[in-house]
Amino acid sequence: MTKPIIILGGGGHAKVLVDILHRLNCRLLGIVDPNQSIGCVLLGLNVLGSDNVVFDYSAAEIELVNGVGSLPKDKGLRARLFNTFNAKGYRFKTLVDPTAFIAADVELSDGVQVMAGVIIQVGTKIAKNTIVNSGAIVEHDCRIGRHVHIAPGAVLSGTVDVGDAVHVGTGATIIQGISIGAGSIIGAGSVVTQDIACNRIVYPPRSQIKSINRD
Ligand code: JB2
């Protein structure tokens, strides 16, 4: 029997996760979010209070789902929440949307979240608390670190190595065999064809917008 779940955070990422959890018939106790009033209803669930409400339950009786997502330059709240509760023995549920294809030998660590329409191919290993967001493709034998966000529609060709806390932006493409150093940000739509060191930002070419003269 699966354990009841508390969701941390009640914003956009949590909204998508709640939809997955309902489709998986999970039992949801509610949401903890410091910016909401206790007892109000958010995403159809009760707000239980702030994060310390989790400690009203033992680590043995519940599972957590990290509903806080991540943006390229945020301050690592998602990772901090994971590390805080994990250090106190709480388990984060590994979640896979039923529409995702995950090859049989793929390894997903605690708290990995695989969203709708994702493809993850053979030999890939994904470390704790990473998000593989809607429609992303992670090809064979990739190594993905902790607290990574692979944003919607990104493509990682085979044997790509991604360090911890990397953000791979929406629709970015990383060709085969590339390494991305920890903490780097790959801008949306970038095409990465060379290794990227730690803590770098890759800027893609941007659309140029001009007005049309119809005279
Ligand atoms: O300390 C906290 C805390 N601070 C803010 N603890 C908990 N449990 N929750 C916290 N929050 C809550 O996280 C906010 O009150 C809010 O409900 C939520 C953040 O919601 P937001 O919609 O701003 O972002 P998000 O993290 O759900 O989604 C981001 O990441 C996703 C992956 C967005 O950029 C999405 O567009 C993206 N798809």
Side-chain angles (χ1 to χ4, degrees), residues 140 142 156-161 174-180 194-195:
H140 67 93
C142 288
L156 280 59
S157 298
T159 61
V160 169
D161 196 329
I174 303 175
I175 69 161
Q176 68 282 354
I178 294 293
S179 290
I180 311 284
Q194 62 187 77
D195 288 349

Side-chain angles (χ1 to χ4, degrees), residues 9 66 70:
N66 199 346
S70 64

